[in-house]
C-alpha cells in the first residue's frame, strides 16, 4: 500500500479555509508542559491515596466539576437535615486546592509564552471560526494580544462574552448576528468557541456562567484571578477535560454555554454547505468522539488534518490511517488531506525554515 501523502502548509495556505479546530497539540507547540496526561493524576497521583481520590473513584469520574458539585449538593442536603457539614466543606476546599495547585504546576505564565502567542493568533485570524478544544489560556491570551496590536483593523476575535451593564460579569451573548459583526472599524471578525470550556470560564451556583478577566484581579494576572474566583464557596471551573466521551457529553449538558456551543455551533460551522475545516493538533482520541459526532452534521467540502512530524514515518502513517477511517465513517464524499504540523508558516512556525 502506498503511503498517504503528508503535505506542507504552503500547499494548502491559498485555500479558502472557513474554520480552525485546535486540539492539545496546538498548546503543546506553544509550551511542552501541556503534554501532561491529566490534571486529575497531577492532583491525585495513584501512589498517594486519600479520601478525595477515593471520592473520585467512587463516583467513577476524573471530572473535578462533577465531584465538586456532588460535594456541594451533599453539603446542602446535610444542612437541611441539620447534620454537620464541616467535613464535606473541608473535602470541597481540599479538592479545589488540589485543582488550583495542579493548574499552577502545569500552566505557563504569560511572559513565558508571549513570543508565540501573537504568531498563533495571527495564523488563526484567517479563519471565520475557531473551535478551541483546549482549556488552557494560551489561545485566549493570543487573540487578546492580536486584538490590541492590530492597528490596521484587519480582523477582530470575539468569543461572545460581553457585559449587560458596566458592573455586570462577562456573560455569553447568544446573538449570533452580533457575534458575526466586526466591532468598530475592523474589517472582519473571527468567532471563538470553547466546546470543552476554558480556565477563564467559571460557573457559580445556582447556574450563572461568566468569564474571568485579569482586570478584576488586584495583581492584574489572569491565572491569579481565576484561582481566586475558584476559592469562592459557590464558584466552580467551567471546563471539561477528563473522562470518556459519554462523561464529557454529560458534563457539557450541565452547562448552558457548553450545550449552546455543542448544539448550535459545532453542528452548524459550515453555514454554506460548502466550507473547509482545518484541524490542528487534535489526536481524534475516542474520548472526543462526541465532537466528531457533532461535526458530522456539517457538509464540509474539505478537511485538512495536521500530522506531527516529530515521530517516525511509520507512526505518522498509522495516525493517518486511523484518522482516515474515522473521517470516512462520519463524512460522505469529503476531500481529506494531511499536512505537516511543523511546516513553515503553520501555527507558530516561521514562514521559512532550513527544512523547507
Amino acid at each position: 500500500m502506498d503511503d498517504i501523502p503528508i503535505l506542507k502548509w504552503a500547499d494548502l495556505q491559498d485555500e479558502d479555509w472557513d474554520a480552525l479546530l485546535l486540539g492539545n497539540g496546538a498548546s503543546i507547540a506553544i509550551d511542552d508542559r501541556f503534554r501532561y496526561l491529566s490534571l486529575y493524576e497531577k492532583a491525585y497521583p495513584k501512589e498517594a491515596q486519600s479520601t478525595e481520590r477515593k471520592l473520585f473513584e467512587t463516583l467513577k469520574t476524573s471530572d473535578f466539576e462533577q465531584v465538586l458539585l456532588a460535594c456541594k449538593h451533599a453539603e446542602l442536603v446535610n444542612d437541611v437535615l441539620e447534620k454537620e457539614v464541616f467535613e464535606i466543606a473541608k473535602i470541597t476546599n481540599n479538592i479545589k486546592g488540589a485543582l488550583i495547585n495542579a493548574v499552577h504546576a502545569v500552566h505557563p505564565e504569560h511572559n513565558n509564552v508571549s513570543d508565540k502567542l501573537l504568531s498563533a493568533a495571527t495564523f488563526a485570524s484567517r479563519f471565520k471560526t475557531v473551535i478551541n478544544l483546549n482549556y488552557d489560556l494560551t489561545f485566549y491570551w493570543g487573540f487578546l494580544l492580536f486584538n490590541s496590536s492590530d492597528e490596521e483593523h484587519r480582523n477582530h476575535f470575539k468569543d461572545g462574552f460581553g457585559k449587560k451593564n458596566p458592573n455586570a460579569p462577562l456573560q455569553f451573548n447568544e446573538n449570533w448576528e452580533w457575534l458575526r459583526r466586526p466591532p468598530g472599524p475592523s474589517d472582519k471578525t473571527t468567532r471563538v468557541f470553547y466546546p470543552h470550556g476554558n480556565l477563564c470560564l467559571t460557573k457559580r451556583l445556582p447556574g450563572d456562567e461568566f468569564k474571568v478577566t485579569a482586570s478584576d484581579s488586584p495583581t492584574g494576572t489572569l491565572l491569579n484571578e481565576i484561582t481566586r474566583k475558584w476559592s469562592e464557596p459557590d464558584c466552580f471551573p467551567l471546563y471539561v477535560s477528563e473522562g470518556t466521551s459519554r462523561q464529557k457529553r454529560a458534563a457539557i449538558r450541565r452547562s448552558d454555554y457548553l450545550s449552546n456551543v455543542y448544539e448550535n455551533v459545532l453542528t452548524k460551522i459550515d453555514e454554506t454547505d460548502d466550507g473547509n475545516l482545518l484541524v490542528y493538533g487534535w489526536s481524534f482520541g475516542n474520548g472526543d468522539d462526541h465532537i466528531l459526532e457533532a461535526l458530522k452534521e456539517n457538509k464540509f467540502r474539505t478537511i485538512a488534518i495536521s500530522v506531527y512530524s516529530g515521530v517516525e514515518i511509520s507512526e505518522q502513517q498509522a495516525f493517518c490511517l486511523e484518522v482516515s477511517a474515522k473521517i470516512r465513517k462520519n463524512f460522505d464524499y469529503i476531500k481529506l488531506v494531511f499536512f505537516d504540523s511543523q511546516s513553515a508558516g503553520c501555527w507558530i512556525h516561521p514562514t521559512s525554515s532550513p527544512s523547507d
Side-chain angles (χ1 to χ4, degrees):
M1 180 185 294
D2 294 336
D3 283 350
I4 296 174
I6 299 176
L7 308 176
K8 299 293 186 182
W9 170 242
D11 302 318
L12 302 172
Q13 62 182 359
D14 293 333
E15 293 284 338
D16 184 20
W17 297 103
D18 297 281
L20 171 67
L21 186 146
L22 299 174
N24 188 234
S27 295
I28 292 172
I30 292 174
D31 193 291
D32 199 58
R33 277 173 284 187
F34 291 117
R35 289 188 186 276
Y36 61 83
L37 297 178
S38 164
L39 276 180
Y40 169 63
E41 291 298 341
K42 186 73 176 178
Y44 297 110
K46 292 180 180 179
E47 61 273 15
Q49 287 295 324
S50 64
T51 300
E52 289 77 17
R53 183 176 176 106
K54 186 176 180 180
L55 183 56
F56 278 88
E57 292 173 347
T58 300
L59 292 172
K60 293 182 172 58
T61 185
S62 52
D63 185 338
F64 279 86
E65 183 203 7
Q66 184 175 343
V67 175
L68 287 169
L69 283 173
C71 289
K72 188 63 182 179
H73 291 152
E75 189 175 334
L76 291 171
V77 171
N78 278 351
D79 190 44
V80 170
L81 297 176
E82 298 183 348
K83 294 185 179 292
E84 181 60 61
V85 298
F86 173 76
E87 282 300 322
I88 299 174
K90 180 181 176 182
I91 289 173
T92 300
N93 289 333
N94 287 346
I95 293 173
K96 280 192 172 186
L99 175 58
I100 289 168
N101 291 336
V103 167
H104 276 277
V106 300
H107 203 293
E109 294 290 344
H110 187 284
N111 60 354
N112 292 332
V113 293
S114 58
D115 59 326
K116 300 175 182 177
L117 300 178
L118 188 57
S119 295
T122 300
F123 176 81
S125 69
R126 65 184 293 142
F127 300 86
K128 297 174 186 174
T129 304
V130 175
I131 304 298
N132 184 16
L133 296 181
N134 305 316
Y135 59 88
D136 64 83
L137 299 172
T138 53
F139 186 70
Y140 177 55
W141 281 338
F143 84 63
L144 289 179
L145 189 59
F146 181 92
N147 284 352
S148 64
S149 63
D150 184 20
E151 297 178 355
E152 297 178 5
H153 305 295
R154 297 163 299 169
N155 193 33
H156 191 93
F157 288 94
K158 294 171 73 172
D159 63 10
F161 284 83
K163 292 189 176 185
K164 295 180 180 178
N165 62 68
N167 297 319
L170 286 167
Q171 294 181 303
F172 186 63
N173 188 334
E174 297 181 25
N175 184 330
W176 302 110
E177 184 57 36
W178 170 80
L179 259 172
R180 295 186 186 96
R181 189 166 58 243
S186 297
D187 295 328
K188 62 181 184 133
T189 188
T190 294
R191 305 179 305 162
V192 180
F193 299 101
Y194 316 99
H196 286 160
N198 193 268
L199 292 180
C200 68
L201 304 183
T202 296
K203 182 175 185 177
R204 188 193 301 276
L205 291 179
D208 292 339
E209 298 172 347
F210 59 94
K211 185 168 74 171
V212 180
T213 65
S215 61
D216 298 325
S217 172
T219 64
T221 64
L222 183 55
L223 273 174
N224 285 347
E225 178 60 14
I226 287 168
T227 53
R228 188 184 73 81
K229 281 291 183 187
W230 289 358
S231 298
E232 294 179 8
D234 293 331
C235 284
F236 302 89
L238 181 57
Y239 72 89
V240 179
S241 65
E242 319 286 355
T244 64
S245 180
R246 176 179 291 183
Q247 289 170 328
K248 288 180 180 179
R249 197 197 306 262
I252 286 169
R253 287 172 176 159
R254 293 197 296 268
S255 162
D256 289 341
Y257 169 74
L258 298 183
S259 296
N260 201 333
V261 172
Y262 187 78
E263 295 169 5
N264 299 317
V265 177
L266 290 185
T267 61
K268 299 181 181 67
I269 299 174
D270 177 18
E271 297 177 353
T272 64
D273 284 348
D274 195 29
N276 294 327
L277 172 68
L278 191 89
V279 177
Y280 189 91
W282 191 29
S283 66
F284 287 81
N286 293 336
D288 284 341
D289 280 351
H290 58 291
I291 299 294
L292 200 56
E293 288 171 11
L295 289 174
K296 73 181 182 182
E297 297 299 317
N298 297 272
K299 293 181 173 60
F300 295 119
R301 184 172 73 253
T302 304
I303 297 180
I305 298 169
S306 72
V307 180
Y308 179 55
S309 55
V311 295
E312 296 291 335
I313 294 293
S314 59
E315 192 171 338
Q316 296 177 42
Q317 288 296 313
F319 172 78
C320 292
L321 286 170
E322 182 179 346
V323 172
S324 293
K326 281 198 168 189
I327 295 295
R328 299 302 179 196
K329 181 179 178 181
N330 287 278
F331 296 88
D332 295 327
Y333 311 111
I334 196 165
K335 180 182 178 182
L336 176 63
V337 295
F338 294 91
F339 67 98
D340 180 356
S341 67
Q342 299 187 100
S343 54
C346 185
W347 191 229
I348 62 165
H349 301 286
T351 53
S352 62
S353 67
S355 61
D356 289 316

